[in-house]
Amino acid sequence: MKIAFTTSDRVHINSHFGSAKEIDVYEIDENGYQFLETLNFEGDLKEDGNEDKVAPKLAALADCAIVYVVAIGGTAAAKLIKKGVTPVKARSEEEKISELLNKLVETLKGNPPPWLRKALQPKTRNFADELEDEATV
């Protein structure tokens, strides 16, 4: 599965979802993880209430199961969840991506908690999702 992290230094989970200029994406399973790519976002990402800044991130993260953030607004979190992506808040801006990935690999080897089992399930799309995608293209 793919997991994303909002980061400004590629080491820590230290960016707010809406204002993140970079989101690192990793592939992870019970055998380990590997870095896939850094998603870059530009524009006025600081403006509160600017929902346009979230749309490109939602599209770019559509195939991720989880996105770790330091903070996220309620509307953006709801939109991620609707797309089948689980937003998770980091414990602090000092939390290291590599440490979290190592913990997740160990968790996947054992008995993942219910929230993680749900995030691991294949995404299902319904008719309303298809219509929304058509309307936004």
Side-chain angles (χ1 to χ4, degrees), residues 54-63 83:
V54 175
K57 292 177 182 173
L58 293 172
L61 296 171
D63 61 346
K83 295 281 186 189

Side-chain angles (χ1 to χ4, degrees), residues 97-118:
I97 293 169
S98 60
E99 290 176 3
L100 196 118
L101 284 165
N102 287 323
K103 287 178 190 175
L104 281 171
V105 169
E106 290 304 311
T107 301
L108 291 173
K109 288 179 183 177
N111 186 17
W115 73 267
L116 186 53
R117 282 196 303 268
K118 183 177 180 188

Side-chain angles (χ1 to χ4, degrees), residues 80-98:
L80 277 171
I81 292 166
K82 185 176 179 185
K83 295 281 186 189
V85 181
T86 303
V88 178
K89 285 188 179 180
R91 289 190 175 98
S92 79
E93 291 186 25
E94 299 302 314
E95 189 162 18
K96 290 186 176 181
I97 293 169
S98 60

Side-chain angles (χ1 to χ4, degrees), residues 6 13-19 68-73 76 88-90 93:
T6 59
I13 306 162
N14 59 5
S15 294
H16 185 287
F17 181 76
S19 61
Y68 281 87
V69 301
V70 77
I72 188 169
V88 178
K89 285 188 179 180
E93 291 186 25

Side-chain angles (χ1 to χ4, degrees), residues 23-37:
I23 299 178
D24 282 355
V25 180
Y26 289 79
E27 182 73 39
I28 184 171
D29 61 26
E30 64 277 353
N31 298 315
Y33 63 87
Q34 74 175 34
F35 173 77
L36 294 178
E37 65 181 321

Side-chain angles (χ1 to χ4, degrees), residues 116-128:
L116 186 53
R117 282 196 303 268
K118 183 177 180 188
L120 291 170
Q121 293 177 356
K123 296 177 187 178
T124 57
R125 295 184 53 81
N126 60 36
F127 184 67

